[in-house]
Amino acid sequence: MQSMTAASDPANPAPASPDEPLEAQFGPHRFYAGEGGGSEEFRGARFDVADLRGARFTDCDLTGVTIRDCWLTNVSISGYLSNVTVNGVDVSDFVSAELDRRHPERVQFREGQTADDVRAIWDTIERLWAQVIERAGRLPAAALTQQVNEEWSFAQTLRHLVFITDAWASRTVLDEEMPYHPLGLPQSWYPPADAAALGIDLTARPGYAEILAARADRMAVMRRIVADLTDDSLGRLCQRSPAPGYPDEERTVIDCISVVMDEEIEHYRFAVRDLAVLEAS
């Protein structure tokens, strides 16, 4: 049976050099960057003795990038790591092991194989998010819409997970044509025209209570899906793509559920990281 982490790993091997004819990968689950998106302006570029202080790279494919003899001080990197070498040392396994130590739910997710495993993982996800919702509720209301280091606010994170459930559970697993909640929030670079076509209002500023209600409803959707799973049904092919802009390829039920759970686990990690900053401020 396919591993639960397979859907969250890159579908194709990384190119060995910038010259290989492989499309760039955007976001952990790959999406079309829209007209004018995915600029190739800097592909294969060289920056020699360049002042890049304060530069920010979001949803960029940095495969094959080489950084030599540079000062990296107060640098923050978040993303998919593989064969990342710092001063001659591959740090990928170290980073993964430390994240596993801090967040054992990652290990539970990665090792899951059966329908019962899926249910156990979803139990863990529900428990973790119940704890973090309670924790967030002790903060001033304004803090829930405050962005930390230009990342999504807590409220925006919940809205994004609404979209993820709609796209990767209701749309794919349940085969619903238009399951998208208007306050759902796609990834940052999702084309606004595509979002509008799905009935999503990117300019909406819903209240926190409304966001919590939508989030609770979508969590219940996932609970119903995992409750009915069997080992055989995990391999069933889903007929729809999650949304316009995603690659047209075969996806099984376990592929799609794995994306939802991966997003839940990773955004939980981001949420507790940022809540700690807000609590200390």
Side-chain angles (χ1 to χ4, degrees):
M1 183 177 294
Q2 184 172 8
S3 168
M4 291 186 187
T5 57
S8 59
D9 291 338
N12 299 302
S17 75
D19 297 324
E20 288 194 16
L22 180 66
E23 291 185 2
Q25 305 292 290
F26 300 106
H29 308 299
R30 299 185 301 132
F31 60 87
Y32 172 52
E35 296 299 328
S39 169
E40 295 186 358
E41 178 182 1
F42 298 110
R43 184 169 183 173
R46 294 183 63 98
F47 301 94
D48 297 312
V49 198
D51 187 346
L52 298 177
R53 288 176 295 178
R56 187 178 180 91
F57 304 90
T58 303
D59 281 341
C60 293
D61 189 335
L62 299 178
T63 301
V65 167
T66 298
I67 301 174
R68 287 203 180 103
D69 300 327
C70 294
W71 286 82
L72 274 74
T73 305
N74 298 325
V75 172
S76 175
I77 299 173
S78 173
Y80 173 78
L81 302 184
S82 178
N83 300 322
V84 177
T85 302
V86 178
N87 289 338
V89 178
D90 187 340
V91 301
S92 306
D93 289 344
F94 168 77
V95 172
S96 181
E98 179 60 15
L99 286 174
D100 287 348
R101 185 187 69 81
R102 298 182 185 186
H103 297 280
E105 63 274 8
R106 286 167 42 95
V107 180
Q108 183 186 15
F109 169 62
R110 190 167 61 243
E111 294 180 349
Q113 295 286 329
T114 68
D116 283 341
D117 291 337
V118 173
R119 282 184 278 273
I121 295 165
W122 190 251
D123 286 343
T124 298
I125 289 170
E126 287 184 330
R127 173 177 54 81
L128 292 173
W129 273 103
Q131 293 170 354
V132 83
I133 290 290
E134 181 180 359
R135 181 176 170 183
R138 294 193 289 267
L139 289 170
L144 302 179
T145 58
Q146 181 178 338
Q147 294 183 322
V148 176
N149 295 325
E150 300 182 49
E151 300 289 349
W152 273 335
S153 69
F154 188 76
Q156 288 173 314
T157 294
L158 297 182
R159 291 177 60 190
H160 178 61
L161 291 173
V162 168
F163 172 78
I164 289 297
T165 306
D166 288 344
W168 289 95
S170 297
R171 166 86 171 177
T172 55
V173 178
L174 299 181
D175 199 31
E176 297 179 10
E177 184 176 2
M178 291 292 287
Y180 310 100
H181 196 292
L183 61 71
L185 194 62
Q187 58 272 6
S188 302
W189 302 112
Y190 195 75
D194 286 348
L198 300 179
I200 295 173
D201 182 4
L202 295 179
T203 66
R205 296 293 180 267
Y208 186 59
E210 185 181 1
I211 294 171
L212 283 181
R215 170 71 169 146
D217 179 79
R218 270 36 182 189
M219 292 283 279
V221 168
M222 274 298 296
R223 168 55 63 181
R224 291 193 295 271
I225 289 174
V226 301
D228 293 336
L229 284 177
T230 65
D231 290 348
D232 289 341
S233 69
L234 294 178
R236 174 176 63 82
L237 289 177
C238 301
Q239 301 304 311
R240 299 183 191 273
S241 68
Y246 286 86
D248 186 13
E249 59 193 22
E250 285 190 349
R251 298 176 177 88
T252 63
V253 167
I254 189 57
D255 289 336
C256 298
I257 289 177
S258 293
V259 170
V260 176
M261 294 191 297
D262 184 40
E263 289 273 332
E264 293 279 356
I265 289 170
E266 290 302 295
H267 282 285
Y268 165 78
R269 179 166 63 87
F270 301 150
V272 296
R273 175 200 64 192
D274 293 347
L275 284 177
V277 175
L278 294 171
E279 289 166 340
S281 62

